[in-house]
């Protein structure tokens, strides 16, 4: 109390040259790389009339834009408003939550367009982008927003930009291994987005462990109105999650089915979250932390299987379980991780993304392994798992095995990548605040 | 003042076992019933390729998903953010407003999928669900959100779950009578959602009358920021109402027309609301209660007729009238209902849903009765009112009569159902708070 | 300090008769004019089945509703939530920001449907409206919302309704000159919406110059939570801007391309805004004013060219520049305009709309002038610039010249119109507050 308030400012948090330098350097790099590589896909190019003739399309409505643009906008809202506002629960870190999320996501989507483009949309030396690329870029950045949740309030914007650069890169590599090498299905990203993003972030925060963080403990809580701002984030994530899980599924029944499964899982998840939030508290009162977060676990956990024939009641079961797992995690696991394993997880992403992501990977593997031609129909079966070309002879149980392998690969990539990035961020040159100034907007913002 | 603050807690509001029990029991019931009954509709099922061939569809874009999914998401936002935040105006009940609305709606949509499914989507022993079912489930739950508005701040979450269970059940019965037996049109739900929901809620709050409620009067107001949170709810309801009224209309012109009519009605309603809000106040200042609520009455009141040939100027007239009726209701009727009829209507749903809902039913009956083949075209006329099969010979004036009958049936169902549910909720075992603790989040929430 | 707080109330701000009178008069006028003129377009009319046959359409999905409705809803959110909440940053003017924006926009869209209808959708004595008209009406009103930003907190609601009436009228005239007489492309409205709206508003605020405004200087700042409310507005504008710029482009590739270009420009703009916000501050801290506003300049500045073959890297360059220009404007230009030119620009629309709008017009002119058949394809070239009929022989460089002329016309219309409207608003009969009561909700609202 006697100490000057910003004594920790001895740690140099002065951003005036470092932050502009990084922002400008990277944006110039983006312009150069976009100039060399990025062009419009045929459906967004002015040559579309010729394309239409070639592909025998009779109407503009066949343009992929009309299949995916509404879902894209919903996903866009989830990344910027959903994640941004979900993290405003801290009483004095609302600017950092919304503002830094905005910054890292705006940078990340550009880099993701390039990274994912090189792997998936590269033709004759150019990356050809359309609405599906925009969705995938948002997805990729989603994993960085998740990791941000673990280190919220403890890092400088420069560190966040570094984290995003590396994480997007590794995301694209991991995604390539899963989707192209292992031929795994993961349209809603239980493995590629949530499992990878969360364990990456948890590894980073472990390495950045701050032994004296209790010095800013009073700021690590919420106030009444900050909890309401956070509920804006929660609800937009919850409502639009059916769009998230269906956004890049195949046209037609797969998109339709993914939305329904996700809707069901999320509905069930709310009920068990409320039940356990009340049950695990001595006074039986509800805790906003659980309502804000654990209600979303059901969306994470059907990320792989939503486009499969999981069925509505299967989705309810997954949501039921995840509401419980996630709420129990907030009550018992988060304190344990902090005190014993030195994992300081500001937003509890372990409960919202890591565990439900793992469950989602497993549910996906089981659902794939259990697939039959009877349930999917002959054509539907081949279409759902893309059992064509080199994969013509793959059986459901083998697919299930590869799905499981995808979980393991995602975990390994997360641990290795998180360790590397954590080590880089630990260098004392990036301008993070001292422990007693964490969770405090006025370190980096004019307040 | 001398009394201990929570003396009323003598009324046992301890939720630790009751709330979890109800949540878990009902969710388990949902899983079992979904397991027995619910499957995907052909458009969401993996057999879609075969379906497409059978129905001679040449493109995936013909899947109902692409006709209705954007509207579904708008309706979804209205239910969870719209209703949830509209009710956050109370200074110390924001958690309850958003959180309990979230809980009851998440449960309600599951039960609605079943109830409405048995009536409308039951084939060979299974309920086949697609995106239209999701919209209808949201609609059904909307009526429970409306009723919640009347009792906001005065009931426990257990009571709200009970209310939702019964109300969704009766909603489905009432809807079946109107749509299938009376062959009535009500795509935006002036009768089925608003009239039914509002009079149901008003009956419940009448039965739960609390003579000592003035003990918590100081908490029944708003503060500056809580009014801004409420405006988020207002605006999302207002902006997306065109989607609400057009979401389940026939493909093509009907959806298009319903959106335009609703847009017009709502625009006019804002002007008369502002006019009367200022005029009825001695100081001529605007009252946020009116702006938050009465501006929406225009959407309610074209719920039945929006898909008909109401025409844009007809819509302006309806909106014009409803802004006035609703604002006058807030100023004069709400106090009268409370003091004389003992109807304590926290959000003023009588002004926002009940009266405009009745007007909407009447406007629908008149518009139907006035329909001519000249205005609709020969095919359009038959399509608009579904005058096929057993209804081939029904005339517009007869249709108008049946529409009017629909209003009466909805009212009777609301009064009877509300009385029944009110009586059940009055039992002293559900954990509602004492009068002096109403409108106070810390009864059920960790604050 | 000694003075009674509302001494300035000597200026009569009593709205009880003036505001209701204006609202009711104008709404009645709307009803009469809609009754005489407005009907449904063929795609929203019940005769659609016949239309479909005539136009050889095989599916309802060909109805323009399905091409544009999702974009319409996004634009609608931008106008009402985007602009409304963006302006809630003032500590005591949240009601006025959201509420008056709501009022003027709800009136403006009706008048815009008429004005734009007479110019563009008038057939056999009737204005035929469909979803594209709704979007255009929202666009038109957007220019009034922009002008409102300059005079925020300093005008009465009656003045705002007058401003909207005149501005919508002049907007429609200007738009007619540009689109029909000059045959200029401006789908996202860099010229018609932003340049025109901003310079119109700046001229008005110049004429309404208040020499004693520093008396309310303490209220002209933000508080912590008001800045978070403003970020809701910012993010919705930012996220949905791709819909704004693509909403009325040609079906197919043009809509698709416009969305991608806008997405890219906005992403780049965030990086340079952050860079310069930090760099121009001695302490290197970020300023919420910049993050809330300058991040959006990239959307404004590709308003004309987004549907052209600007290419993703071209968009990045535009966004890069605009983030810098806009942020520098907030730091240096706004104080200069106020102190030297007596332009009191509450929201800094000069930095967010005026300068980026001009840049947008210029970028559009250059992009058009640089167009080649090689880049667009033979058909794409004609389609993109509508080089048919009387314009069959127009060359890209001539088109570029006309685009540039469009900027000049928009500026002249803005200055002339703004001067006229400013002079009218200056009459001492409209009930604006005294300088010391500016930026204070309780002048016009029950607080």
């Amino acid at each position: 109390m006697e100490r000057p308030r910003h004594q920790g400012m001895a740690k140099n948090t002065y951003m005036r040259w470092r932050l502009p330098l990084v922002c400008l350097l990277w944006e110039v790099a983006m312009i150069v790389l976009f100039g060399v590589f990025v062009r419009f896909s045929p459906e967004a190019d002015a040559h579309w009339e010729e394309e239409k003739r070639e592909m025998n399309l009779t109407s503009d409505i066949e343009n992929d834009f009309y299949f995916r643009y509404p879902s894209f906008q919903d996903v866009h809202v989830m990344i910027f408003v959903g994640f941004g506002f979900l993290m405003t629960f801290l009483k004095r870190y609302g600017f950092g939550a919304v503002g830094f999320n905005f910054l890292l996501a705006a940078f990340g989507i550009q880099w993701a367009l390039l990274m994912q483009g090189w792997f998936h949309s590269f033709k004759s030396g150019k990356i050809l982008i359309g609405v599906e690329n925009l969705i995938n870029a948002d997805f990729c950045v989603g994993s960085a927003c998740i990791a941000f949740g673990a280190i919220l309030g403890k890092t400088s914007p420069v560190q966040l930009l570094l984290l995003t650069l590396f994480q997007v890169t590794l995301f694209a590599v991991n995604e390539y291994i899963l989707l192209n090498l292992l031929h795994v299905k993961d349209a809603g990203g239980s493995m590629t987005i949530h499992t990878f993003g969360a364990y990456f972030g948890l590894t980073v925060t472990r390495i950045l462990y701050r032994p004296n963080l209790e010095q800013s403990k009073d700021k690590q809580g919420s106030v009444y109105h900050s909890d309401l701002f956070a509920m804006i984030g929660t609800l937009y994530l919850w409502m639009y999650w059916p769009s998230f899980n269906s956004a890049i599924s195949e046209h037609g029944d797969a998109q339709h089915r993914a939305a329904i499964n996700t809707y069901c899982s999320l509905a069930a998840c709310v009920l068990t979250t409320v039940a356990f939030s009340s049950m695990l508290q001595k006074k039986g009162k509800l805790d906003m932390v659980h309502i804000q977060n654990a209600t979303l676990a059901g969306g994470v956990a059907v990320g792989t299987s939503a486009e499969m024939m999981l069925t509505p009641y299967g989705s309810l079961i997954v949501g039921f379980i995840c509401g419980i797992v996630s709420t129990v995690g907030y009550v018992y696991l988060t304190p344990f991780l902090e005190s014993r394993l030195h994992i300081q997880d500001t937003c509890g992403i372990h409960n919202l993304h890591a565990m439900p992501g793992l469950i989602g990977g497993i549910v996906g593997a089981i659902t794939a392994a259990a697939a039959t031609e009877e349930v999917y129909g002959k054509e539907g079966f081949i279409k759902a798992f893309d059992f064509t070309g080199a994969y013509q002879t793959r059986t459901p149980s083998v697919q299930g095995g590869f799905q499981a392998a995808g979980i393991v690969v995602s975990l390994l990539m997360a641990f290795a990548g998180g360790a590397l990035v954590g080590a880089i961020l630990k260098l004392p040159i990036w301008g993070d605040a001292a422990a007693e100034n964490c969770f405090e907007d006025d370190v980096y913002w004019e307040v």
Side-chain angles (χ1 to χ4, degrees), chain A residues 289-419:
Chain A
V289 172
H290 308 154
I291 308 301
Q292 281 160 11
N293 293 282
T295 51
L296 301 169
V300 174
V302 295
T304 303
S305 56
E307 61 172 8
M308 302 178 189
M309 289 292 282
L310 178 61
T311 76
Y313 75 90
S315 306
L316 291 188
I317 294 172
V318 174
F320 187 95
I321 293 168
C322 283
I324 297 172
V325 168
S326 188
T327 309
V328 170
Y330 274 99
V331 177
Y332 299 113
L333 233 76
T334 298
F336 173 84
L337 290 179
E338 175 150 6
S339 61
R340 298 301 168 87
L341 304 185
H342 289 179
I343 297 172
Q344 294 161 323
D345 177 7
T346 312
C347 296
I349 63 166
H350 186 260
N351 313 304
L352 170 47
H353 298 282
M355 291 191 296
L358 284 178
I359 294 174
I362 296 165
V363 170
I366 295 172
T367 312
T372 64
E373 280 201 12
E374 197 198 328
V375 170
Y376 286 76
K378 203 175 163 68
E379 288 162 278
F381 180 71
I382 293 167
K383 198 177 150 199
F385 297 98
D386 206 9
F387 284 160
T388 54
Y391 304 98
Q392 214 167 348
T393 56
R394 196 183 265 191
T395 62
S397 53
V398 172
Q399 178 68 22
F402 276 99
Q403 295 280 145
I407 307 173
V408 179
V409 172
S410 299
L411 279 172
L412 293 178
M413 288 289 290
F415 292 132

Side-chain angles (χ1 to χ4, degrees), chain A residues 259-308:
Chain A
I260 296 173
N261 280 330
T262 310
Y263 177 94
C264 289
S265 177
L266 285 163
C269 192
V270 175
L271 275 280
T272 49
T273 297
V274 168
F276 275 73
S277 180
S278 170
M279 203 193 294
L280 300 179
Q281 221 90 334
K282 241 193 240 162
K283 300 189 207 149
K285 294 184 182 185
L286 297 168
D287 189 329
M288 274 307 256
V289 172
H290 308 154
I291 308 301
Q292 281 160 11
N293 293 282
T295 51
L296 301 169
V300 174
V302 295
T304 303
S305 56
E307 61 172 8
M308 302 178 189

Side-chain angles (χ1 to χ4, degrees), chain A residues 34 72 75-76 79-80 83 104-117 120-121 129-145 164 167-168 171-172 175 193 244 247-248:
Chain A
F34 269 61
F72 157 64
V75 171
H76 217 38
I79 299 299
F80 290 88
F83 281 115
L104 77 85
F107 164 68
I109 53 179
Q110 299 176 59
W111 180 229
L113 281 175
L114 288 165
M115 281 303 303
Q116 295 180 314
H120 302 290
S121 312
I129 65 172
V131 64
E132 195 171 339
N133 298 70
L134 306 190
I135 298 171
N136 275 312
D138 273 20
F139 276 3
C140 179
V141 155
S143 84
C145 299
T164 307
Q167 193 175 348
V168 165
F171 178 100
E175 188 187 43
I193 302 169
F244 193 93
I248 57 162

Side-chain angles (χ1 to χ4, degrees), chain A residues 24-152:
Chain A
L24 294 177
L25 253 174
W26 290 2
E27 194 53 50
V28 169
M30 291 300 111
I31 291 175
V32 172
L33 290 169
F34 269 61
V36 176
F37 289 110
V38 181
R39 296 295 179 272
F40 294 118
S41 80
E43 303 193 279
D45 192 283
H47 288 81
W48 163 246
E49 286 299 323
E50 298 158 32
E51 174 82 5
K52 248 169 51 180
R53 243 192 331 269
E54 268 170 48
M55 305 196 47
N56 261 324
L57 301 176
T58 55
S59 165
D60 282 320
I61 198 86
E62 298 287 340
N63 194 305
D64 196 35
F65 183 77
Y66 302 104
F67 286 89
R68 305 207 186 273
Y69 188 73
S71 310
F72 157 64
Q73 274 297 358
D74 294 349
V75 171
H76 217 38
V77 171
M78 292 174 74
I79 299 299
F80 290 88
V81 162
F83 281 115
F85 273 90
L86 182 60
M87 296 190 276
T88 57
F89 71 98
L90 291 173
K91 66 177 78 151
R92 294 299 296 176
Y93 208 71
F95 294 3
V98 169
F100 292 154
N101 185 71
F102 192 15
L103 172 63
L104 77 85
F107 164 68
I109 53 179
Q110 299 176 59
W111 180 229
L113 281 175
L114 288 165
M115 281 303 303
Q116 295 180 314
W118 283 315
F119 280 123
H120 302 290
S121 312
F122 201 58
K123 276 181 197 163
S124 339
K126 299 293 173 200
I127 296 168
L128 304 181
I129 65 172
V131 64
E132 195 171 339
N133 298 70
L134 306 190
I135 298 171
N136 275 312
D138 273 20
F139 276 3
C140 179
V141 155
S143 84
C145 299
I146 291 167
F148 179 32
I151 53 179
L152 183 73

